[in-house]
Amino acid sequence: MAANQSASGSSDSESPSLFDSSSQPAPNSRSFNRSVRVAEKERRKNEAEDPFVLALKFFSDVEAGTPAFGNDNLERNLVLVERVAYSKGLSPEAISVMLEFAMSLRMGTSPCVRVLKCLVPASVVPQEAVVRAMVWLGVCKIPASTQVLFIKWVLTIFDMIDAKDQLRAIYGFIFSFVTEEYLCPFVCHLLYLLTRKESVRHFRVQKLLELQSKLGRQPFLLHLLSLYKVFCPEYVTLSIPSRMKSGFRNHNSPWKSALIAVQRRNGSQIASSASLPSTIKDKTSSRKRKHYHLELPVLCSQVNKQAQTEPSLGRKLVPLVQLSSFTQLLDHMHRIELPAQMGSLLGSSLALQYLDCVQDEFALLRLNFWLGYALHEEFLFCGDGRASNSEEALQFLDKLLSTQHFLQESFSSTEVFLYKFLSVWDGSLLRPQILSLLSNIPVVPSSQIGRLLFEPLMQLFFTSSLFFKCGLIECLNSMLLKWLVWHSVYALEDDLDISLNSHTSVNMTLSGFKDSVMELVHFVGRLASVGLQLEGGHSLLLSFILDFYETGCDTFLKYGLPLIVMFPPGVFFPALLSPDPVSVDRLAYIMYSLPLGGAVICGYF
Amino acid sequence: MGKRDVQICFRFGSGTPDMERHRSSGARTPLNSALVQRRSRSKSYRLSYRSCLGAASRLGLTPALTARRLNTSRRAPKSHNISEKVSVEQLALLLKKEWKLSYVTPLYRFRHTQMRGYSRQLSAFIAAEKHQGLAVDVEAAQGSFRASFSVIQGMTETDDDAETILIQIHSKSSFPGQDEPQRALWSGWLTCVYGNPEYLNSLPKDFTCLPLFCSSGSEVLTNAVKSWFQLTFDCCFGPLEISHTSLQWLVALWTNCHAECNIQHLKMIWSVPVVPPLQITYTVDGQDAWELWNSLRRDPQEEGEGGKDEEAGSNIDIMEVERFMQGLKGHFYRHFRLDLSAGSLKQVSTALGLAKCNGRMKISNSKYMIATLTLLTECALLKMPM
């Protein structure tokens, strides 16, 4: 009571300050204060009389050694607690009290199981309670099945533990339980959830390998060791057989239904720890690929670590394979370790996000080597009698295209490959993909563009079908568009020259860029003129050609390149005189959009 | 209907009338079909996109990666007493064994100083692969295989080339204390001999270029070793075939060595595309081949300045090789009315070594090893994707 008085007294002294700024007259505020005080007292009295609170008090105050058998008090309080637990779940304080009671074995071992089974948390579980319980696990003589039940409970509510740093601090202590055979699978699972790079030590690896030689090939050991391998591949190496299921088994059966009911009632969605992101990549392709160069390498952490100049930094690097969500990627952005094979980054969208930020030249060179190797092996070095692997090649190219689309630029090995491939391509193998890849290549210096690009394309153009011609014009159109966009984004506004990084041997100035664009436009003009003659002014071809010139007429206005793109006569006249009204309309629109449209018309007539 | 095998051995009569006959017969035979050389485009210059942001550019294609084709002229192989520089035991491991060839893209962060560490890691890896689902301690020596990495010093001539690496896998014998040296279950070596210096210098420092990989042993172990390399150094392995042109070069180069070292015979296996497939083994006596070769080489030089014999003799040109092959084919045509240009050369062998077009080779004599390896290194470098 005295405590209550002082509390209300302090609240009394506080309340004038709260209501100082209010415009209420003084007598009303005093009555208000009195009502607040009365409400407080009521609440405290209710709490003190609340049977649940009394039950908790019982469990926290009970003396060690009190008999459990035939204890009505115990029975009554336990039933009460169970009722609360199954209805709306236990609060964090209740969990601590009950857990402490159960694991300390104050009333013997019989109530322990029952208590553990009713420990359904409502919101969070305080980690101090779990740590204390782990300590009791080591100290007391808890029967084996109860120990197992306890660990299962920890695994079930693992995601609801508010913080894990204390648990990680006692990693070594938890690790010591691994030697108990009945506890081993569950402790391995728990260790799997708690392991970080600092916890992987060689003596722990050796201990696990000893266990493996004793117990044989157990999946739980293998999973834990594979996690160790991710962090420190220099200590252990293994290969997972493809038939093995990935991930640990679920152990949450005694609590699952109760948890779901409580969570549904509380309206909170707490993801259960049942589904773990497994670090083992499952082999989706059951049939053995004969040509494995198209297979993306598996994402795994680097084995060949160099001695870091700062050892502390080396320990803190997070292997990329460990990250499973974008937020995690952002958290560890500054200390991500690149994987062993750079080609594996093309496999997951998360890794692609990171690839976009990678500045390391060597890493990109590795990626380019692998990519170039895959493309060369598949398309350039293939034997004559080989059955075409077109299904896998198609998927590979699609993936490459989507990657390039995501990164908004192409890889240099793709460019090298395309220049070689164009001279041997027949124009129909994987045509959409090859043309899309072609449209992604960056600006080629005008001295090289003729030999590298135009000659093979000309040969292909004049010996191919109408649809190829249309496809090629479209490809060159999108190439022009990308070059223009590149220019408009990267040209410095106040400089007349786009002088590039001195790493490259060619300085591409604005005039050089204009030369390349002009070469491209002239080339398309020549192709278009002769193509239209060959195809007799076909309207489909004409429409694609007019698309190109529509892109071209925006060079100055939209992209800031001081260049005018005009039709050659071989395009202008067929479009003007075509029997197809759409072409004439588009021609008129383009001429209207051209800055000097009038001058163009006069020039032709 | 099976394959037909025809073996033909020739012994040319000595003396000049035969030589003239060869030359004139060379004129009468149908023209050789144009040798298809792989024409590669030279690489363009890659521009950096991130220039304005000041960030590092992606690897620009440097001008070093220029038009790559097989060299049209080569130095004539000199007798190379390689056993002066390389230890005899290591040489014995390389000779007289048939190797399967592959090309390798440059290795990232490969250190010649960490051979012991690599041996341990490879042993653990092979043990893990063999026992699927069993974790293996890397630092302890476990498992039934023991891998060993060693550096073969002295095979490289220039500073650009990286030192040759030899990998051997022995099985651990269960009876300790055996005195006899164990034969390796599997062996392989990575080498680069007189690689193109421009290409080698264009690679960044962290990359080691050892483009030629030779392996001998079971396929399972070869794949395991390749997987380990791929995981550890982020490189790629691909099959290396010896092209028609390269085989012809070997014919010429090996024949050229006859003056100093008896090649005993020049044996070529051609396959002709008829039904049923016909395989022709064409063996020429070493001395005769040498005389033919010599006559083809000396004539154009006699027309030129006579004083520069020493220098001019050290370079062999592709034209001379072609003339030599023409001469051999012409002789065959004279006798059998079968033009070997319709077929393809599949295998070449002399006392110095053996080379097959599907990518297998054997070196039998260490003296001219360097020339052979130079040619093969060049073939491997041609297959580099960038």
Side-chain angles (χ1 to χ4, degrees), chain B residues 198-211:
Chain B
E198 284 178 17
Y199 182 74
L200 294 177
N201 285 329
S202 72
L203 289 174
K205 205 165 55 77
D206 263 350
F207 284 87
T208 310
C209 187
L210 287 164

Side-chain angles (χ1 to χ4, degrees), chain A residues 209 212 217 222 235 237 239 304 340 342 362 365-366 373 377 381 409-410 415 442-443 486 490 500 504, chain B residues 38 42 44 46-47 49-52 55 57-59 103 108-109 132-133 135-138 204 231 234 237:
Chain A
L209 289 175
Q212 181 187 249
R217 275 167 229 214
L222 212 55
Y235 289 148
T237 179
S239 88
N304 196 15
M342 284 299 290
F362 299 158
L365 182 55
R366 283 156 60 192
Y373 158 79
E377 276 293 321
F381 295 157
E409 52 183 325
S410 81
E415 205 187 325
V443 184
W486 177 83
Y490 285 106
L500 296 187
T504 59
Chain B
R38 265 208 46 196
S42 90
S44 75
R46 175 63 157 78
L47 309 171
Y49 285 117
R50 314 244 169 123
S51 54
C52 302
S57 63
R58 296 186 194 229
L59 175 75
Y103 70 90
Y108 180 61
R109 280 197 183 155
Q132 293 268 325
V136 179
D137 190 352
V138 175
L231 275 177
D234 204 2
F237 284 79

Side-chain angles (χ1 to χ4, degrees), chain A residues 70 85 118 120 141 201 272 311 335 337-338 365 418 431 443 450 471 526 539 551 563 567:
Chain A
C118 78
V120 181
K141 297 186 190 40
R201 302 295 194 91
S272 64
R335 52 194 179 104
E337 187 186 56
L338 288 169
L365 182 55
L418 276 173
R431 185 196 309 154
V443 184
R526 288 202 311 270
S539 43
T551 313
L563 198 68
F567 306 102

Side-chain angles (χ1 to χ4, degrees), chain B residues 9 80 89 103 123 145 159 172-173 194 308 315 327 329 332 358 366 372 381 386:
Chain B
C9 278
H80 212 100
E89 301 90 30
Y103 70 90
S123 313
F145 295 109
D159 288 332
K172 281 211 200 136
S173 83
Y194 279 118
K308 290 172 65 175
N315 255 354
K329 287 188 222 169
F332 194 84
N358 61 356
S366 69
T372 315
L381 278 177
M386 272 180 65

